[in-house]
Every structure is written in structure tokens, then in C-alpha cells.
Amino acid sequence: MRALRGAALALLLAAALGPGPGRPHPQCLDFKPPFQPPRALAFCRRYGAFGCCDARRDRVLLQRFYRLSAHLDGPTYAACAGHLQDLLCQECSPYAAHLYDAEDPSTPVRTIPGLCQDYCQQVWQKCRSIFHYLSTDQELIALENNMAKFCRYLSLEDTDYCFPHLLANENLNQNLGLVTADSEGCLQLCLVEVANGLRNPVAMVHANDGTHRFFIAEQVGLVWAYLPDRSRLEKPFLNISEAVLTSPWEGDERGFLGIVFHPKFKFTGKVYVYYSVEVRYEERIRISEFRISPRDMNTVDHGSERIILEIEEPASNHNGGELLFGDDGYLYIFTGDGGMAGDPFGTFGNAQNKSALLGKVLRIDVNNNDRGPVYRIPPDNPFVDDPQARPEVYAYGVRNMWRCSFDRGEPDTKEGKGRLFCGDVGQNKYEEIDIVEKGKNYGWRAREGFSCYDKKLCVNSSLDDVLPIYAYPHKMGKSVTGGYVYRGCESPNLNGLYIFGDFMSGRLMSLKEDHATGEWQYSEICMGTGQTCMFPGLINNYYQYIISFAEDEAGELYFMSTGVPSATAPHGVVYKVTPTPRPRLRTTTEAPRRGWPDPATSHTPALDRVDQAPVNRSVMLVPATAPSPKPGKGERKGQRRKKKPRNGAVRLMDGGSRGRSWGRVEVYVNGEWGTVCDDGWSSAAAAVVCRQLGFPYVVRASKKAEFGEGTSLRILLDDVQCSGQEKTLLECAHTEVGTHNCSHEEDAGVVCTCPLPN
């Protein structure tokens, strides 16, 4: 296998290395990477280009500024408003996790960011009264009259990250917030390996049912179900390997090629598949419908198969294979031109023949098909009134579209929503990316990319033929694999990039639309070099043969590749694109504002009530329970003592590791951590946990120790009954602490998330 030059994708989860022993690591308080806010920030403008706050969080901080500054008289406001703003806005810093000492899961987050000694002394001398309003940390307030102890308490062990010196730290701020390109202009990213040992994984899909399961299809005809913790169930979700036509030969294009869940799968239980089959020595492509098993939600009823459509394949290549449901609820089917070379079928080829189903994008209606025909024709299909055309045809003139996707649209404005992107594999010279529209002709075999292929057809072709948005020559790659426009919430810096690849060259690529010209600008994607991706779980290499791309329920991006392109070789891997960019900060602090704030004249809309604001994803104001002792043996003088968690604090654990947005719930009660029994465990209780941890949404409540058993801990809470509005689980109804009638096999968990696109 040819080695791939710097291969892979993760937008620098760590900043580029600078001089010195430390490695910069921008990170937000929710442990996610910083991002470029999609909308301008009006209050914490320093972090408007890159940081940890969006416009909603910025508004919440502004309102808090208004409330706190109302306690200040005129002279104090004039002297201290700028400091108050700086302190509030540090939760928007790309280094917020460091500033608030949030990386130790066993201790509460600071109420005040870590301050450099000289700055702390300056603020203490002029403005120490503001800390009464900023913090409920009684240990800190008790030190108010002793400047040395007060500032030592607010210091950071790692002084590189203290405010405001980190703003001028070149090692921390070089290229921060940029999607980094190497000397050749290649965008550097990193990866997380999600699954491996797969035989040519051709598709990864989700059921859009809120379970956060994902399903990976192998070319041989097996589909595997994976749980949110990425564990694979032993029994296949679907096994039609005996019916699927394929072979061990490298490059065989036949096999199980596509799968899609009905958009209302939660109610219909229907799944659709696309595969090659042999019927009486005749090769065909088959689109079938299966139903979920009534006894097991993680497998289909194999006896429920209904054939929706079969099309004869005159050759063994160019089989198409994509299935998608559009926002209109219709099923889109993407067929190849029938194979061989140059679409030699008939006078103009299959692709230009609207009476043939090959070389087309088809659209059919499979809704409410339990009685009557297995599919119907959508009434607005473009050729329903053309007696020379098949009514299923939605678009034509395609060679072999391999992997298509609908754009979810820009998260806030929904701009671009519903656009249909496809990679169409070329013949001899060019690969292309198309945006497919109803009734349009995409030119094959008259054109290949932007150039003429069949010169006679090309001369006579219509000026209305749609040209690609991008085409590349075979010196870059010889078999395009279409991808997705990134619209996830974990990596906002990728928003709007169409990311795709090439099966033969292993090249990862991206396109970004120039809205002023309508043109798409190309950037190559490569592996983060050096120590860029040297963080737990990140890698900077992948197998060469890029087979397919995928999205999960939240819109995060994945791709599948293999080292041996054979349907029977277990070398396929699924990778998650996990970028982490790095912000460029101003190196001077903002001047304090003058005059009293006036919410009525502010450019940022004021919120009427604090509880109307989104969940505070950052600072927890945690009262201490004991005075600060003198440094013990082994403690460095001046080192901030780690405080105990407050009663009712929670954390998530995934097996034996710290969870991020999902995991087993562990609660701190009366000096010890323990688990929660899932008796009565509900989404309302899960919502309390997610909100405590800074996540605005709960996806689901997890039961039966889905994220492992906390056997080293006691079970502290059982029969928890919440309304969803409580601040901690201790405020919910529950049995007496430590009293339970369950085992760790019933440990409760949660899956939390950021807002999903509509």
C-alpha cells in the first residue's frame, strides 16, 4: 500500500508548538475546542474572532455586567468597569479551561479566572470591592484584606496562562484561531478512530431517532449497529451477505452499496438498502425495504424484505449506490450509467436517455406504501408529463455518482439548506463535484468535467447543461468520493466547508463558496504535522482508499477508508474528523468603559430575566465549606489548594475514563462520589445533570450501565424523580442517600449535546 503523505483531519486541537517545554492547548470550559462565533460579539469583543462564547453567551455576560455594575457608585464604576468586563469575559477566552483551572474533574471550577500577580495587585488596590459581587467563594472573600494571600489564592500554578499576560504570550497566540495551512497551503486537521476491522465499509448512517446509535455497512452485505460509546453489538443489524453479489477481487464495484433509514423511522421502522444481485445469470441493482424486528430494535426482520425497484446492469462496474431521503420526504436513488467505458449504450448512452433508469438521479415516494404500489411518483417530478421519459427521473447526464449528501444549511440562517452535493466519478481525465437540481442535465457523456468527452455530442449539447462547481484532473486523483458540507456544532471553524476525497489518491479536499462570486475555492486537507495531533485519542494518519463519508445525528463528520480495497479484507476503518483551531488574540487589553451602562441603548438586546438566557456553560459559583488551611507537606507555597466538590456536584464517566458529553452519572454527596440507580431515571433527571455540566440539551437518559459499572463506588441515589427544573439531583425526590434496591448493573447515565440543527 502506498504511504499517504501527512494524512488526516483535526483542526489543531492544540496550538502550534512554540519555544519552551510547554505545549499550548486552547480549550473551553465545556472541554470542547474554541471556535469562531458565527455572529459578532457585542460585549466580549476581544474574543469575537475566536474563543469559547457565541452571541447568546455574550448577551448573558453583558446582562450579568449590568446587574453587577449596578452595585458600583460613579467613581468606582469609572475605575473598575473595565476590570469587571475583563474578568467576566475570560470564560470566552480560548484558554478558559486553563484560566478557571477546570481540567481537574474532581474539583469545582474557579469563580474567578487565574490572575497574574501584578494585575491582581493593581485590581486589589483599586477595585477589590467588585469581588464581593463576582464570587460567592467565601475562602476568597475572607482573604480580601490581605493582598498577598488574596492574589496568591487567585494565582495559577502554570503562570503561562494567567490573565492578562497570556494575551501577549507569543507561544500561546501564534496562529491561534486559524485553520492552519502548511507551507504548501494544505489545511491541517486530525482524526479520531471510531471503528476498525471492517470489510470495505461503504456507508455509515444513523436512524435519526435520538438513540445516537450508528450503523456501518460492509460491502459483503452486513450492517453493524454501534452504541453511542462506540461498542459494536455482536449480532449484525442486517445480514444479506448470501444474496449480495460481490467478490474478493480488489476494485470490484458490486456489492452492498447503500443504506438509509426512513425519515420517520421511529414510527415506521423502515430501512432501505441498495445492493448488487444476480437473478438468473443477470446482474441487477436492487433497492429493497426492510422493517425493524418487533422483538429487537437492533436488528431488522430479515423476512420483511420488499423489493422496491430492480434495474438490469449491462456491466459489472458503474453501479451507483447512494440512497438519500430529502427534506421533501422522497427517496432519492443514484444510479451509474451501466458500466464499461464511455457509456456505449445506444445512440447517446444511458445517461442522456431519459427513458432509461441508468445514469440518473431518481426520486420516488415510498411513504404510506403498506397497501397498493410499493412506490409512487412525486407529482412534481420534472418529466412526469414527458411520454419519452421515465417519470422516476429527477436529473440525468451522470456517469457514476459516488456519495451524495444534502446540506443541512447554515445553523442560524439555514442558508444552503437542501442543496444536493454529489461526487461524479470521471472517465479518463477529470473528477467532478456537482450540485444536483431538479430536471437538470449534468452533461455525461458529452462532457467530462468542464471538457468535452464525446465531441459530437458536446457540439450539439444544450447550453442549459449544468457544469460542475469543481473538477480536478487525474494527476490529483482518479475516483472522487463525495462528502458533506460541514454543519456540526463541535467545530464551527469548519462550517460551510464541503469536505470530500479521492478513493485512488487518498487525497482529502475541501471547497468553500465565495458568496460574492458564487465560485467555490479549493483547499487541500492534510495531516497535522509534528506534535499538532499528539493529544489523547487523536491521530494524524489514515488508510489510503477513501470509500465514503458520513454524518452523525449532530452533524459531525466521519469518513471510511481501507488499506486493501477488497470486499473481504478486514482493513476498513471509520475516522471522525475532530478539528480544533487556534485563535489570534489582540495583545492589548480594552480600555475601561466610561459612564453608566444603559441596557436600553445597548446594541445587544437585553434579556428580561436571567432564567430566559441559555444555560451557563462555564463558571460555577461554588461556596467553599471550610477555611483555607496552611500548605501541607509537599505543597508548594502559594499554590492554590484544590477544593472539595460541593454537595450535589456531578460528573460523567465513560467506563473508567472521564466522559465529555455522555457517560455514567456520578454524584458527590456528603464527602464521597457515588452512582445513581436507573429506577425511575428519566429525561427530566438527565436534563438536571446536563444543565449542571453546562450542556443546554439532553438527548436521552441512559440505563442498564450503558457506560460501564461504577463498581468502585457506592450507589448513593435511587428512585430519583425530577421535574427537570431542579439545580441538582439532591433537590429531586429520592430515597434516603445510600439506600437502594438495585445493583451497579443499573447505573444511570446521560447523553447531553449542544443544539442540533433544525
Side-chain angles (χ1 to χ4, degrees):
M1 183 187 71
R2 183 161 56 90
L4 191 64
R5 83 167 173 76
L9 276 137
L11 214 91
L12 308 175
L13 196 91
L17 286 177
R23 198 161 63 225
H25 184 194
Q27 192 173 54
C28 300
L29 280 164
D30 57 5
F31 303 105
K32 293 179 181 177
F35 55 90
Q36 180 180 352
R39 296 181 182 176
L41 305 187
F43 181 56
C44 299
R45 293 190 301 273
R46 182 194 311 282
Y47 306 110
F50 189 83
C52 293
C53 293
D54 57 16
R56 291 187 304 172
R57 185 67 203 147
D58 185 63
R59 288 197 299 272
V60 173
L61 292 173
L62 176 61
Q63 292 304 308
R64 191 175 178 211
F65 176 83
Y66 289 153
R67 294 195 305 273
L68 297 182
S69 61
H71 296 282
L72 310 181
D73 58 28
T76 304
Y77 179 87
C80 303
H83 294 309
L84 178 60
Q85 180 182 10
D86 278 341
L87 294 173
L88 288 172
C89 287
Q90 290 320 297
E91 69 174 82
C92 299
S93 166
Y95 291 107
H98 298 279
L99 282 162
Y100 287 92
D101 202 15
E103 296 191 310
D104 186 341
S106 66
T107 62
V109 180
R110 283 174 174 257
T111 61
I112 304 293
L115 304 181
C116 303
Q117 288 294 294
D118 54 349
Y119 177 77
C120 178
Q121 292 169 9
Q122 175 188 349
V123 176
W124 184 88
Q125 290 169 353
K126 297 181 179 180
C127 304
R128 62 179 176 271
S129 63
I130 67 175
F131 291 98
H132 276 285
Y133 312 115
L134 273 170
S135 176
T136 57
D137 185 341
Q138 297 305 307
E139 291 186 46
L140 175 65
I141 301 305
L143 300 175
E144 180 184 2
N145 294 320
N146 187 316
M147 182 179 70
K149 291 183 178 180
F150 184 87
C151 289
R152 187 160 57 242
Y153 187 83
L154 289 180
S155 65
L156 287 175
E157 183 175 353
D158 189 343
T159 57
D160 284 342
Y161 289 101
C162 69
F163 178 81
H165 291 180
L166 88 165
L167 297 176
N169 188 319
E170 292 183 4
N171 184 36
L172 295 180
N173 295 298
Q174 185 178 12
N175 295 326
L176 197 56
L178 303 179
V179 180
T180 304
D182 64 12
S183 59
E184 298 177 0
C186 188
L187 300 183
Q188 297 185 65
L189 302 168
C190 306
L191 298 174
V192 172
E193 184 176 298
V194 173
N196 57 34
L198 295 158
R199 291 170 291 183
N200 265 19
V202 293
M204 170 181 158
V205 295
H206 62 81
N208 197 32
D209 61 353
T211 64
H212 279 223
R213 295 174 297 166
F214 56 94
F215 304 83
I216 300 175
E218 295 179 315
Q219 189 177 347
V220 289
L222 281 84
V223 180
W224 300 97
Y226 288 76
L227 299 178
D229 64 357
R230 300 175 183 170
S231 61
R232 187 171 97 175
L233 299 182
E234 289 187 14
K235 184 179 180 181
F237 176 75
L238 174 68
N239 183 356
I240 54 172
S241 55
E242 291 187 6
V244 169
L245 174 63
T246 189
S247 75
W249 306 331
E250 291 190 13
D252 191 341
E253 298 177 23
R254 301 167 302 175
F256 188 100
L257 302 177
I259 178 172
V260 67
F261 285 76
H262 192 281
K264 295 182 179 179
F265 169 76
K266 195 171 183 178
F267 307 102
T268 68
K270 293 182 178 181
V271 184
Y272 296 85
V273 299
Y274 185 131
Y275 63 97
S276 304
V277 65
E278 186 175 68
V279 179
R280 294 185 295 275
Y281 304 105
E282 180 181 275
E283 293 188 13
R284 299 179 184 179
I285 54 174
R286 175 182 289 172
I287 290 84
S288 286
E289 173 190 277
F290 287 87
R291 287 182 179 271
I292 199 72
S293 168
R295 295 177 296 277
D296 184 356
M297 67 180 293
N298 290 309
T299 185
V300 302
D301 176 358
H302 287 77
S304 68
E305 181 177 11
R306 291 202 303 167
I307 298 173
I308 301 296
L309 182 66
E310 280 190 348
I311 307 171
E312 181 184 350
E313 276 282 352
S316 297
N317 58 338
H318 301 184
N319 301 289
E322 184 70 86
L323 292 176
L324 296 173
F325 275 98
D327 290 338
D328 53 17
Y330 298 135
L331 178 63
Y332 290 71
I333 303 167
F334 301 79
T335 66
D337 65 7
M340 298 189 185
D343 194 4
F345 308 102
T347 305
F348 307 110
N350 280 326
Q352 290 298 319
N353 179 5
K354 287 181 285 191
S355 68
L357 294 180
L358 294 171
K360 305 296 187 299
V361 179
L362 310 177
R363 183 173 71 155
I364 61 175
D365 183 357
V366 294
N367 297 297
N368 305 311
N369 65 349
D370 293 337
R371 295 180 180 179
V374 290
Y375 73 87
R376 296 176 174 86
I377 304 300
D380 64 336
N381 266 14
F383 304 111
V384 290
D385 297 324
D386 184 347
Q388 304 300 317
R390 288 289 297 259
E392 296 93 339
V393 175
Y394 181 79
Y396 64 106
V398 305
R399 183 176 179 273
N400 190 35
M401 285 184 163
W402 181 248
R403 294 314 179 228
C404 303
S405 64
F406 282 103
D407 184 0
R408 294 182 177 217
E410 202 280 327
D412 291 317
T413 67
K414 300 305 176 187
E415 180 181 357
K417 182 176 173 59
R419 292 183 299 182
L420 177 52
F421 288 79
C422 286
D424 198 5
V425 180
Q427 181 69 51
N428 298 325
K429 294 183 178 180
Y430 296 99
E431 307 296 306
E432 66 182 68
I433 301 294
D434 297 300
I435 296 180
V436 175
E437 297 177 349
K438 182 169 67 175
K440 299 297 186 180
N441 182 357
Y442 289 84
W444 175 252
R445 73 185 184 198
R447 289 191 178 91
E448 179 186 11
F450 294 105
S451 69
C452 288
Y453 176 79
D454 184 318
K455 293 184 179 179
K456 290 183 179 180
L457 285 180
C458 193
V459 170
N460 296 317
S461 62
S462 169
L463 294 177
D464 294 331
D465 289 357
V466 179
L467 295 175
I469 62 169
Y470 180 73
Y472 61 91
H474 278 189
K475 66 180 181 181
M476 292 175 60
K478 296 181 179 180
S479 183
V480 67
T481 300
Y484 286 81
V485 178
Y486 180 81
R487 301 295 188 186
C489 58
E490 291 184 8
S491 306
N493 296 278
L494 294 183
N495 186 40
L497 281 181
Y498 177 72
I499 296 175
F500 63 106
D502 188 276
F503 175 79
M504 293 301 294
S505 69
R507 194 182 296 261
L508 286 163
M509 298 169 274
S510 71
L511 300 174
K512 187 169 183 65
E513 186 177 15
D514 184 333
H515 294 284
T517 65
E519 296 179 351
W520 291 78
Q521 299 171 341
Y522 170 85
S523 293
E524 189 169 345
I525 292 170
C526 62
M527 266 304 143
T529 56
Q531 296 187 355
T532 295
C533 301
M534 291 184 65
F535 289 84
L538 291 185
I539 57 175
N540 67 345
N541 58 84
Y542 59 89
Y543 281 127
Q544 171 183 346
Y545 299 101
I546 301 171
I547 301 172
S548 191
F549 285 80
E551 280 184 324
D552 62 18
E553 286 184 70
E556 300 308 323
L557 184 65
Y558 301 73
F559 72 91
M560 288 139 273
S561 68
T562 183
V564 180
S566 163
T568 58
H571 299 291
V573 179
V574 178
Y575 304 96
K576 182 180 181 182
V577 177
T578 315
T580 14
R582 307 174 287 168
R584 185 184 302 280
L585 304 180
R586 301 181 197 172
T587 56
T588 57
T589 56
E590 297 176 359
R593 298 184 180 192
R594 302 298 177 186
W596 291 91
D598 182 2
T601 60
S602 170
H603 293 294
T604 303
L607 299 175
D608 294 331
R609 293 176 48 185
V610 178
D611 58 12
Q612 292 175 335
V615 175
N616 185 338
R617 299 177 11 180
S618 310
V619 183
M620 294 172 56
L621 303 180
V622 186
T625 57
S628 176
K630 295 180 180 180
K633 185 177 181 181
E635 288 188 64
R636 199 162 47 84
K637 185 178 180 181
Q639 182 175 336
R640 179 176 178 265
R641 185 179 63 86
K642 298 289 186 183
K643 295 186 292 183
K644 294 181 179 179
R646 68 173 178 178
N647 234 25
V650 289
R651 65 188 182 191
L652 300 183
M653 301 298 292
D654 189 356
S657 304
R658 174 75 178 210
R660 289 292 178 91
S661 59
W662 62 67
R664 179 179 65 252
V665 174
E666 295 184 356
V667 61
Y668 189 81
V669 185
N670 300 333
E672 67 172 314
W673 287 99
T675 63
V676 180
C677 186
D678 65 16
D679 292 339
W681 189 246
S682 65
S683 295
V688 173
V689 173
C690 291
R691 193 165 53 248
Q692 267 189 275
L693 296 171
F695 295 98
Y697 292 86
V698 58
V699 175
R700 62 183 173 86
S702 164
K703 297 185 177 184
K704 302 297 182 185
E706 179 181 336
F707 300 106
E709 299 179 18
T711 52
S712 63
L713 304 176
R714 286 204 303 148
I715 299 172
L716 294 183
L717 296 182
D718 192 7
D719 293 326
V720 177
Q721 302 288 331
C722 303
S723 69
Q725 301 303 313
E726 294 86 353
K727 293 181 179 179
T728 73
L729 294 178
L730 296 183
E731 295 182 9
C732 303
H734 56 80
T735 58
E736 183 179 349
V737 173
T739 302
H740 62 86
N741 61 353
C742 58
S743 68
H744 281 295
E745 293 179 352
E746 300 168 79
D747 280 347
V750 297
V751 177
C752 312
T753 189
C754 52
L756 300 181
N758 293 327

